[in-house]
């Protein structure tokens, strides 16, 4: 019974994942040759049953990988790819070479077990990359490796030319590396080998055949959890729905040793709480009883083709922009060497050396036994890029999109391809770049309008239940907009209540009753971005421009007050720690004090926050100590290649001693230096019934906008649209 249930659990988990377009790496998955979809089920695939579930004929404890080269599309021959740019990610050939070099190194040869938690390019020094031009030889290719060997964490570099391995031994005092897919996979099946766990499940009235489990990072809450890699596992009933998240086996938590796979402790505090019904929980289009057609199909047509090109797989050129683009297993998308063309000189000018999602902090606001530890660090614990899904053409990205794959290394070093992980496309939503129509009272009949077309770089990550959509949007006026969208499925809590009229008014639900026996728990999302701005060069300054009310005297003006701009250049890091306040308005400029416009203003860019949220947790609360990088919305630090991850290099079970907040408190000099801007985009989420059973996307964004960077409006001379240049699409015949 246990074996059968494990096989069904494992492979049904895969079915769900692939219905969401790819392996969701929190759950086990079968070999790619055994993966199917609902479409395959219609053709009597042996891997489907009448309920579209997967059944395995192979022991689920075997994790089979298909070599990356065999999964590559015809358009992208990854097995023969070679690097063309110093920042190009490691290729399949290079990843295989890293694996070979390490396997013969003494550290690994003498070990009983090891796992590679990260294998990425060790980027050349920034100064070298900034001076490199196409056509010059590449610098020696190096790999940065984080490995666990015999229970110890190691940071290494591998020289791919000389095969030299350098063990850096720079592991912090606490914390562990990002989990591998194998870590997450094995954690979900390990409890099924425990008789007490299986008995507990059956006593809840759930068939073992119908159980799906999640590996949940447990944060850090004291010495009891130190000196061993632990993970918590919670389970759900997937009977009669693909949306098992809405059917929690509430109060059942397994504490697991991630290295030995031994069950350390089982907590079962929710026996009186029923498992919510499956009714109306399925979100798949094919399962809707009544479909809702509200709009006609829409698409952007480009008869002359797109206006962007991607050279050598990673160098994007569009309009007046060019930048390097790659996938990363931890950050997701990395944008580097972003430059914009000056409309007067024609010179490509530096704006951003490197930008990426550094960390995501998601604390849930329920202090009870089965929930207090749910304070996720999605990048550092799970790998934001590892959770990226293949994008769905026509739905995730429009018809004119170009797709880019990620090439990553599994825990044993074998490379694999995360296909269609990033898309690049031009967007036109009817927005206006600039306009002016002259008033009739002037006697001048002038109406000048220019359309706004943008270039979007997109990825979507499904970190278990939640889906994140991250857009980098480039505008021709020099603005970069970074937008984050939240969708997917709520993490919910089971309850005995079916209606709010059953509640005692004093009781705290820690959320909202969404459906019968289902509570959506209040939580926050914080997404912290690392933005290494290089405004016309690397030496920049951060300027806080405060708007201050100035009082006037009666003899000075009929006005009693006005606003004036007061500029303060940050000398040290603490000067640049900013909490955004509505009634203390400021602009936040990154300037190059040595480069001036024609009239003498320093050239710069400004960070323009959109809607955001601030953490209200106590700074001494253990999750907030680990997530202290959310104590401010803005930080500025001197460039340090070892300071890239806001939560620290080793986030899993870390204690918060290696965070952005710790670095910034050193209060180093940042005036006219190579500096990095950090910004945290935040969301408070009080769930509502409209979020059930799946959430409509909610988004927020921030801008990096030119401020005295150009001599005048950089898109003044762009042409308007005229009818003859646009495609003519014939409407469908009306009834």
């Amino acid at each position: 019974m246990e074996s059968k249930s494990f096989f069904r659990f494992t492979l049904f988990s895969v079915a769900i994942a692939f219905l969401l377009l790819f392996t969701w790496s929190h759950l086990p998955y079968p070999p790619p040759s055994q993966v199917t979809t609902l479409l395959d089920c219609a053709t009597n695939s042996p891997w489907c049953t009448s309920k579209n579930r997967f059944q395995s004929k192979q022991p689920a404890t075997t994790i089979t990988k298909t070599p990356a080269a065999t999964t590559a599309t015809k358009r992208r021959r990854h097995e023969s790819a070679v690097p063309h740019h110093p920042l190009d990610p490691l290729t399949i050939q290079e990843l295989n070479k890293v694996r070979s070099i390490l396997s013969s190194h003494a550290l690994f040869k003498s070990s009983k077990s090891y796992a590679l938690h990260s294998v990425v390019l060790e980027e050349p020094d920034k100064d070298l990359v900034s001076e490199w031009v196409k056509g010059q030889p590449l610098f020696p290719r190096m790999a940065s490796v984080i490995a666990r060997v015999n229970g110890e964490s190691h940071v290494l570099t591998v020289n791919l030319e000389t095969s030299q391995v350098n063990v850096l031994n720079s592991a912090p005092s606490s914390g562990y590396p990002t989990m591998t897919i194998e870590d997450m996979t094995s954690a979900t099946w390990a409890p099924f080998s425990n008789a007490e766990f299986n008995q507990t499940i059956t006593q809840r009235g759930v068939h073992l055949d119908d159980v799906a489990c999640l590996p949940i990072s447990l944060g850090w809450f004291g010495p009891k959890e130190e000196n061993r890699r632990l993970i918590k596992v919670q389970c759900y009933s997937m009977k009669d729905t693909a949306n098992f998240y809405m059917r929690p086996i509430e109060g059942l938590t397994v504490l697991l040793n991630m290295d030995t796979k031994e069950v350390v402790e089982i907590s079962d505090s929710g026996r009186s709480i029923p498992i919510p019904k499956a009714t109306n929980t399925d979100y798949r289009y094919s399962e809707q009883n009544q479909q809702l057609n509200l709009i006609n199909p829409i698409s952007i047509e480009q008869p002359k083709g797109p206006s962007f090109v991607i050279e050598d797989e990673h160098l994007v050129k569009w309009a007046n922009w060019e930048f390097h683009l790659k996938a990363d297993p931890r950050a997701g998308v990395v944008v580097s060497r972003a430059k914009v063309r000056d409309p007067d000189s024609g010179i490509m000018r530096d704006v951003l050396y490197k930008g990426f999602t550094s960390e995501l902090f998601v604390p849930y606001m329920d202090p009870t036994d089965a929930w207090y530890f749910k304070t996720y660090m999605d990048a550092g614990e799970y790998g934001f890029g590892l959770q990226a899904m293949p994008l769905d053409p026509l739905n995730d990205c429009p018809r004119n999109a170009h797709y880019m794959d990620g090439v990553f290394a599994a825990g044993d070093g074998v490379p694999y391809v995360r296909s269609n992980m990033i898309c690049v496309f031009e967007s036109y939503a009817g927005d206006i770049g600039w306009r002016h129509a002259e008033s009739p009272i002037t006697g001048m009949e002038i109406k000048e309008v220019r359309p706004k077309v943008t270039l979007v770089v997109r990825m979507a990550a499904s970190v278990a239940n939640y889906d994140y959509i991250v857009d980098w949007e480039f505008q021709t006026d020099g603005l970069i907009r970074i937008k984050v969208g939240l969708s997917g499925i709520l993490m919910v809590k089971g309850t005995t209540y079916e209606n709010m009229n059953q509640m005692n008014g004093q009781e705290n639900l820690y959320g909202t009753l969404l459906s019968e026996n289902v509570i959506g728990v209040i939580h926050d999302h914080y997404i912290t971005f690392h933005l290494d701005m290089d405004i016309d060069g690397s030496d920049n300054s951060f300027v806080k421009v405060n708007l201050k009310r100035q009082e006037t005297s009666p003899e000075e003006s009929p006005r009693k007050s006005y606003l004036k701009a007061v500029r303060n250049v940050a000398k040290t890091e603490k000067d640049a720690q900013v909490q955004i306040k509505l009634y203390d308005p400021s602009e936040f400029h990154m300037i190059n004090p040595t480069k001036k416009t024609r009239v003498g203003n320093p050239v710069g860019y400004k960070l323009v926050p959109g809607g955001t949220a601030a953490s209200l947790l106590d700074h001494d609360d253990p999750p907030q100590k680990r997530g202290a990088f959310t104590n401010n919305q803005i930080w500025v630090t001197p460039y340090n290649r070892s300071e890239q991850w806001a939560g620290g290099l080793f986030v899993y079970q870390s204690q918060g001693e290696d965070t952005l907040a710790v670095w910034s408190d050193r209060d180093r000099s940042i005036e006219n230096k190579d500096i990095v801007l950090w910004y945290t985009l935040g969301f408070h989420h009080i769930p509502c019934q409209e979020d059930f059973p799946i959430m409509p996307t909610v988004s927020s964004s921030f801008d990096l906008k030119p401020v005295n960077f150009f001599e005048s409006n950089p898109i003044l001379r762009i042409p308007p649209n005229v009818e003859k240049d646009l495609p003519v699409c014939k409407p469908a015949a009306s009834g």
Side-chain angles (χ1 to χ4, degrees), residues 326-385:
K326 67 180 175 184
D328 182 86
R330 183 164 176 170
V333 168
V334 178
V335 174
S336 302
R337 303 292 289 129
K339 302 180 180 185
V340 67
R341 181 178 294 106
D342 189 284
D344 298 318
S345 68
I347 294 172
M348 300 301 296
R349 299 172 63 187
D350 291 332
V351 175
L352 175 75
Y353 180 78
K354 187 176 183 180
F356 58 89
T357 304
S358 179
E359 191 53 88
L360 299 92
F361 178 40
V362 188
Y364 281 77
M365 305 303 166
D366 185 335
T368 58
D369 184 63
W371 280 80
Y372 73 90
F373 53 87
K374 295 183 180 180
T375 55
Y376 305 101
M377 301 279 194
D378 286 336
E381 293 175 338
Y382 293 95
F384 198 43

Coordinates of all heavy atoms in Angstrom, one line a residue, residues 326-385:
K326 N 20.6 36.9 -19.6 CA 20.8 35.5 -19.4 C 19.9 35.0 -18.3 O 19.4 35.8 -17.4 CB 22.3 35.2 -19.1 CG 22.8 35.7 -17.8 CD 24.3 35.4 -17.6 CE 24.9 36.0 -16.3 NZ 26.3 35.7 -16.2
A327 N 19.8 33.7 -18.2 CA 19.0 33.0 -17.2 C 20.0 32.7 -16.1 O 21.2 32.3 -16.3 CB 18.3 31.8 -17.7
D328 N 19.5 32.7 -14.8 CA 20.3 32.3 -13.7 C 19.5 31.4 -12.8 O 18.3 31.7 -12.5 CB 20.8 33.6 -12.9 CG 21.7 33.2 -11.7 OD1 22.9 33.1 -12.0 OD2 21.2 33.1 -10.6
P329 N 20.1 30.3 -12.2 CA 19.3 29.4 -11.4 C 18.8 30.0 -10.1 O 17.7 29.6 -9.6 CB 20.2 28.2 -11.1 CG 21.6 28.8 -11.4 CD 21.4 29.8 -12.4
R330 N 19.5 31.0 -9.6 CA 19.0 31.7 -8.3 C 18.3 32.9 -8.6 O 17.2 33.2 -8.0 CB 20.3 31.9 -7.4 CG 19.9 32.5 -6.1 CD 21.1 32.4 -5.1 NE 20.8 33.1 -3.8 CZ 21.6 33.0 -2.8 NH1 22.7 32.2 -2.8 NH2 21.2 33.6 -1.6
A331 N 18.7 33.8 -9.4 CA 18.1 35.1 -9.6 C 17.0 35.1 -10.7 O 16.1 36.0 -10.6 CB 19.2 36.1 -10.1
G332 N 17.0 34.1 -11.5 CA 16.0 34.1 -12.6 C 16.5 34.7 -13.8 O 17.1 34.1 -14.7
V333 N 16.3 36.1 -13.9 CA 16.8 36.8 -15.1 C 17.9 37.8 -14.6 O 17.8 38.4 -13.6 CB 15.6 37.6 -15.7 CG1 16.1 38.7 -16.7 CG2 14.6 36.7 -16.4
V334 N 19.0 37.9 -15.4 CA 20.0 38.8 -15.2 C 20.2 39.7 -16.4 O 20.4 39.2 -17.5 CB 21.4 38.1 -14.8 CG1 22.5 39.2 -14.6 CG2 21.2 37.2 -13.6
V335 N 20.1 41.0 -16.2 CA 20.3 42.0 -17.2 C 21.6 42.7 -16.9 O 21.8 43.3 -15.8 CB 19.1 43.1 -17.3 CG1 19.4 44.2 -18.2 CG2 17.8 42.4 -17.6
S336 N 22.5 42.7 -17.9 CA 23.8 43.3 -17.7 C 24.2 44.3 -18.8 O 23.7 44.2 -20.0 CB 24.9 42.2 -17.6 OG 24.6 41.3 -16.6
R337 N 25.1 45.2 -18.5 CA 25.7 46.1 -19.6 C 24.6 46.8 -20.4 O 24.7 46.9 -21.6 CB 26.7 45.3 -20.5 CG 27.8 44.6 -19.8 CD 28.8 45.5 -19.1 NE 29.6 46.2 -20.1 CZ 29.8 47.5 -20.2 NH1 29.2 48.3 -19.3 NH2 30.6 48.0 -21.1
A338 N 23.6 47.3 -19.7 CA 22.5 48.0 -20.3 C 23.0 49.4 -20.7 O 23.5 50.2 -19.9 CB 21.3 48.1 -19.5
K339 N 22.9 49.7 -22.0 CA 23.4 51.0 -22.6 C 22.2 51.6 -23.4 O 21.5 50.9 -24.1 CB 24.6 50.8 -23.4 CG 25.8 50.2 -22.7 CD 27.0 50.1 -23.6 CE 28.2 49.5 -23.0 NZ 29.4 49.5 -23.8
V340 N 22.2 52.9 -23.4 CA 21.2 53.6 -24.3 C 21.9 54.6 -25.2 O 22.9 55.2 -24.8 CB 20.1 54.3 -23.4 CG1 20.7 55.5 -22.6 CG2 19.0 54.8 -24.2
R341 N 21.5 54.7 -26.4 CA 22.1 55.6 -27.4 C 21.7 57.0 -27.2 O 20.5 57.4 -27.1 CB 21.8 55.2 -28.8 CG 22.5 56.0 -29.9 CD 22.2 55.6 -31.3 NE 22.8 54.3 -31.5 CZ 22.1 53.1 -31.6 NH1 20.8 53.1 -31.4 NH2 22.7 52.0 -31.8
D342 N 22.7 57.9 -27.1 CA 22.4 59.3 -27.0 C 21.9 59.8 -28.4 O 22.5 59.6 -29.4 CB 23.6 60.1 -26.6 CG 23.3 61.5 -26.3 OD1 23.1 62.3 -27.2 OD2 23.3 61.9 -25.1
P343 N 20.7 60.5 -28.4 CA 20.2 60.9 -29.7 C 21.0 62.0 -30.4 O 20.9 62.2 -31.6 CB 18.8 61.4 -29.4 CG 18.9 61.9 -27.9 CD 19.8 60.9 -27.3
D344 N 21.8 62.7 -29.7 CA 22.6 63.8 -30.3 C 24.0 63.3 -30.7 O 24.4 63.6 -31.9 CB 22.8 65.0 -29.3 CG 21.4 65.6 -28.9 OD1 20.6 65.8 -29.8 OD2 21.2 65.8 -27.7
S345 N 24.7 62.6 -29.9 CA 26.0 62.1 -30.2 C 26.1 60.8 -30.9 O 27.0 60.4 -31.5 CB 26.9 62.1 -28.9 OG 26.4 61.0 -28.1
G346 N 25.0 60.0 -30.7 CA 24.9 58.7 -31.3 C 25.8 57.7 -30.4 O 25.9 56.5 -30.8
I347 N 26.3 58.1 -29.3 CA 27.2 57.2 -28.5 C 26.3 56.4 -27.6 O 25.3 56.8 -27.0 CB 28.1 58.1 -27.6 CG1 29.1 58.8 -28.6 CG2 28.9 57.2 -26.6 CD1 30.0 59.8 -27.8
M348 N 26.7 55.1 -27.4 CA 26.0 54.2 -26.5 C 26.5 54.5 -25.1 O 27.7 54.4 -24.8 CB 26.2 52.7 -26.8 CG 25.7 52.3 -28.1 SD 23.9 52.5 -28.4 CE 23.3 51.4 -27.2
R349 N 25.6 54.9 -24.2 CA 26.0 55.4 -22.9 C 25.6 54.4 -21.8 O 24.5 53.8 -21.8 CB 25.4 56.8 -22.6 CG 25.8 57.9 -23.5 CD 25.0 59.1 -23.4 NE 25.2 59.7 -22.0 CZ 24.5 60.8 -21.6 NH1 23.6 61.4 -22.4 NH2 24.8 61.3 -20.4
D350 N 26.5 54.2 -20.8 CA 26.3 53.2 -19.8 C 25.1 53.7 -18.8 O 25.1 54.8 -18.4 CB 27.5 53.0 -18.9 CG 28.6 52.3 -19.7 OD1 28.3 51.5 -20.6 OD2 29.8 52.5 -19.3
V351 N 24.3 52.7 -18.5 CA 23.2 53.0 -17.5 C 23.3 52.0 -16.3 O 23.3 52.4 -15.2 CB 21.8 52.9 -18.2 CG1 20.7 53.1 -17.1 CG2 21.7 54.0 -19.2
L352 N 23.3 50.7 -16.7 CA 23.2 49.7 -15.7 C 24.2 48.6 -16.0 O 24.2 48.0 -17.0 CB 21.8 49.1 -15.7 CG 21.5 47.9 -14.8 CD1 21.4 48.3 -13.3 CD2 20.2 47.2 -15.2
Y353 N 25.1 48.3 -15.0 CA 26.1 47.3 -15.2 C 25.4 45.9 -15.0 O 25.6 45.0 -15.8 CB 27.3 47.4 -14.3 CG 28.3 46.3 -14.5 CD1 29.1 46.3 -15.6 CD2 28.3 45.2 -13.7 CE1 30.0 45.3 -15.9 CE2 29.2 44.1 -13.9 CZ 30.1 44.2 -15.0 OH 31.0 43.2 -15.3
K354 N 24.6 45.8 -14.0 CA 24.0 44.5 -13.7 C 22.8 44.7 -12.8 O 22.8 45.4 -11.8 CB 25.0 43.5 -13.0 CG 24.5 42.1 -12.8 CD 25.6 41.3 -12.2 CE 25.3 39.8 -12.1 NZ 26.4 39.0 -11.5
G355 N 21.7 44.0 -13.2 CA 20.4 44.1 -12.4 C 19.8 42.7 -12.3 O 19.7 42.0 -13.3
F356 N 19.3 42.4 -11.1 CA 18.6 41.1 -11.0 C 17.8 41.0 -9.7 O 18.0 41.9 -8.8 CB 19.6 39.9 -11.1 CG 20.7 40.0 -10.0 CD1 20.5 39.4 -8.8 CD2 21.9 40.6 -10.3 CE1 21.5 39.5 -7.8 CE2 22.9 40.7 -9.3 CZ 22.7 40.1 -8.1
T357 N 16.9 40.0 -9.6 CA 16.2 39.8 -8.4 C 17.1 39.1 -7.4 O 17.6 38.0 -7.6 CB 15.0 38.9 -8.6 OG1 14.1 39.4 -9.6 CG2 14.2 38.7 -7.4
S358 N 17.4 39.8 -6.3 CA 18.4 39.3 -5.3 C 17.8 38.3 -4.3 O 18.3 37.3 -4.0 CB 19.1 40.5 -4.6 OG 20.0 40.0 -3.6
E359 N 16.6 38.7 -3.8 CA 15.9 37.8 -2.8 C 14.4 38.1 -2.8 O 14.0 39.2 -3.1 CB 16.5 38.0 -1.4 CG 16.1 36.9 -0.4 CD 16.3 35.5 -0.9 OE1 17.4 34.9 -0.7 OE2 15.3 34.9 -1.5
L360 N 13.6 37.1 -2.4 CA 12.2 37.2 -2.1 C 11.9 36.7 -0.7 O 12.4 35.6 -0.4 CB 11.4 36.4 -3.1 CG 11.5 36.8 -4.6 CD1 12.6 35.9 -5.3 CD2 10.2 36.6 -5.3
F361 N 11.3 37.6 0.1 CA 11.0 37.2 1.4 C 9.5 37.2 1.6 O 8.8 38.2 1.3 CB 11.6 38.3 2.4 CG 11.3 38.1 3.8 CD1 11.3 36.9 4.4 CD2 11.0 39.2 4.6 CE1 11.1 36.7 5.8 CE2 10.8 39.1 6.0 CZ 10.8 37.8 6.6
V362 N 8.9 36.0 2.0 CA 7.5 35.8 2.1 C 7.1 35.3 3.5 O 7.0 34.1 3.7 CB 7.0 34.9 1.0 CG1 5.4 34.9 0.9 CG2 7.5 35.3 -0.4
P363 N 6.9 36.2 4.4 CA 6.4 35.8 5.8 C 4.9 35.7 5.9 O 4.2 36.6 5.5 CB 7.0 36.8 6.7 CG 7.0 38.1 5.8 CD 7.2 37.6 4.4
Y364 N 4.4 34.6 6.4 CA 3.0 34.4 6.7 C 2.7 34.8 8.1 O 3.5 34.7 9.0 CB 2.6 33.0 6.5 CG 2.4 32.7 5.0 CD1 3.5 32.5 4.2 CD2 1.1 32.6 4.4 CE1 3.3 32.2 2.8 CE2 0.9 32.4 3.1 CZ 2.0 32.2 2.3 OH 1.8 32.0 0.9
M365 N 1.5 35.4 8.3 CA 1.2 36.1 9.6 C 0.3 35.2 10.5 O -0.8 35.6 10.9 CB 0.5 37.4 9.3 CG 1.3 38.3 8.4 SD 3.0 38.6 9.1 CE 3.8 39.3 7.7
D366 N 0.8 34.0 10.7 CA 0.1 33.0 11.6 C 1.1 32.4 12.6 O 2.0 31.7 12.1 CB -0.6 31.9 10.8 CG -1.4 31.0 11.6 OD1 -1.1 30.8 12.8 OD2 -2.3 30.3 11.0
P367 N 1.1 32.7 13.9 CA 2.1 32.3 14.8 C 1.9 30.9 15.4 O 2.6 30.5 16.2 CB 2.0 33.3 15.9 CG 0.6 33.7 15.9 CD 0.1 33.6 14.5
T368 N 0.9 30.2 14.9 CA 0.5 28.9 15.4 C 1.5 27.8 15.0 O 2.3 28.0 14.1 CB -0.9 28.5 15.1 OG1 -1.0 28.4 13.7 CG2 -1.9 29.5 15.6
D369 N 1.5 26.6 15.6 CA 2.5 25.6 15.5 C 2.7 25.2 14.1 O 3.9 24.9 13.7 CB 2.1 24.4 16.4 CG 3.1 23.3 16.4 OD1 4.3 23.6 16.8 OD2 2.9 22.2 15.8
A370 N 1.7 25.0 13.3 CA 1.8 24.5 11.9 C 2.1 25.6 10.9 O 2.3 25.3 9.7 CB 0.6 23.8 11.5
W371 N 2.3 26.9 11.4 CA 2.4 28.0 10.4 C 3.6 29.0 10.8 O 4.0 29.7 9.9 CB 1.1 28.8 10.3 CG 0.1 28.1 9.4 CD1 -0.7 27.0 9.8 CD2 -0.1 28.4 8.1 NE1 -1.5 26.7 8.7 CE2 -1.1 27.5 7.6 CE3 0.3 29.4 7.2 CZ2 -1.6 27.5 6.3 CZ3 -0.1 29.4 5.9 CH2 -1.1 28.5 5.5
Y372 N 4.0 29.1 12.0 CA 4.9 30.1 12.4 C 6.2 30.2 11.5 O 6.8 31.2 11.3 CB 5.3 30.0 13.9 CG 6.2 28.9 14.2 CD1 7.6 29.1 14.2 CD2 5.7 27.6 14.5 CE1 8.5 28.0 14.5 CE2 6.6 26.6 14.8 CZ 8.0 26.8 14.8 OH 8.8 25.8 15.0
F373 N 6.6 29.0 11.1 CA 7.9 28.9 10.4 C 7.8 29.3 8.9 O 8.8 29.3 8.2 CB 8.4 27.5 10.5 CG 7.5 26.4 10.1 CD1 7.4 26.0 8.8 CD2 6.6 25.9 11.0 CE1 6.5 25.0 8.4 CE2 5.7 24.9 10.7 CZ 5.6 24.5 9.4
K374 N 6.6 29.5 8.4 CA 6.4 29.8 6.9 C 6.8 31.2 6.6 O 6.0 32.1 6.6 CB 5.0 29.5 6.5 CG 4.6 28.0 6.7 CD 3.2 27.7 6.2 CE 2.9 26.2 6.4 NZ 1.6 25.9 5.9
T375 N 8.1 31.4 6.4 CA 8.7 32.7 6.2 C 9.8 32.5 5.1 O 11.0 32.6 5.4 CB 9.4 33.2 7.5 OG1 10.3 32.3 8.0 CG2 8.3 33.5 8.6
Y376 N 9.3 32.3 3.9 CA 10.2 31.8 2.8 C 11.2 32.8 2.3 O 10.9 34.0 2.2 CB 9.3 31.3 1.7 CG 8.3 30.3 2.1 CD1 6.9 30.7 2.2 CD2 8.6 29.0 2.2 CE1 6.0 29.7 2.6 CE2 7.6 28.0 2.6 CZ 6.3 28.4 2.8 OH 5.4 27.5 3.1
M377 N 12.3 32.3 1.9 CA 13.3 33.1 1.1 C 13.4 32.4 -0.3 O 14.2 31.4 -0.4 CB 14.6 33.2 1.8 CG 14.6 33.8 3.1 SD 14.7 35.6 3.1 CE 15.1 35.9 4.8
D378 N 12.6 32.8 -1.2 CA 12.4 32.0 -2.4 C 13.6 31.9 -3.3 O 13.7 30.8 -4.0 CB 11.2 32.5 -3.2 CG 9.8 32.2 -2.5 OD1 9.8 31.2 -1.8 OD2 8.9 32.9 -2.7
A379 N 14.4 32.9 -3.3 CA 15.6 32.8 -4.2 C 16.7 32.0 -3.5 O 17.3 31.1 -4.1 CB 16.1 34.2 -4.6
G380 N 17.0 32.3 -2.2 CA 18.1 31.7 -1.6 C 17.9 30.3 -1.1 O 18.8 29.5 -0.9
E381 N 16.6 30.0 -0.8 CA 16.2 28.6 -0.4 C 15.9 27.7 -1.5 O 16.3 26.5 -1.5 CB 15.1 28.7 0.7 CG 15.5 29.4 1.9 CD 14.3 29.6 2.9 OE1 13.1 29.6 2.5 OE2 14.6 29.8 4.1
Y382 N 15.0 28.1 -2.4 CA 14.5 27.3 -3.5 C 15.1 27.5 -4.8 O 15.1 26.6 -5.7 CB 13.0 27.5 -3.6 CG 12.2 27.0 -2.4 CD1 11.9 27.8 -1.4 CD2 11.9 25.6 -2.3 CE1 11.2 27.4 -0.3 CE2 11.2 25.2 -1.2 CZ 10.8 26.1 -0.2 OH 10.1 25.6 0.9
G383 N 15.7 28.7 -5.1 CA 16.2 29.1 -6.4 C 15.1 29.6 -7.3 O 14.3 28.9 -7.8
F384 N 15.1 31.0 -7.4 CA 14.0 31.6 -8.2 C 14.1 31.2 -9.6 O 13.0 30.9 -10.2 CB 14.2 33.1 -8.1 CG 13.0 33.9 -8.4 CD1 11.7 33.5 -8.0 CD2 13.1 35.1 -9.2 CE1 10.6 34.3 -8.4 CE2 12.0 35.8 -9.6 CZ 10.7 35.4 -9.1
G385 N 15.3 31.0 -10.2 CA 15.4 30.5 -11.6 C 15.1 29.1 -11.7 O 14.5 28.6 -12.7

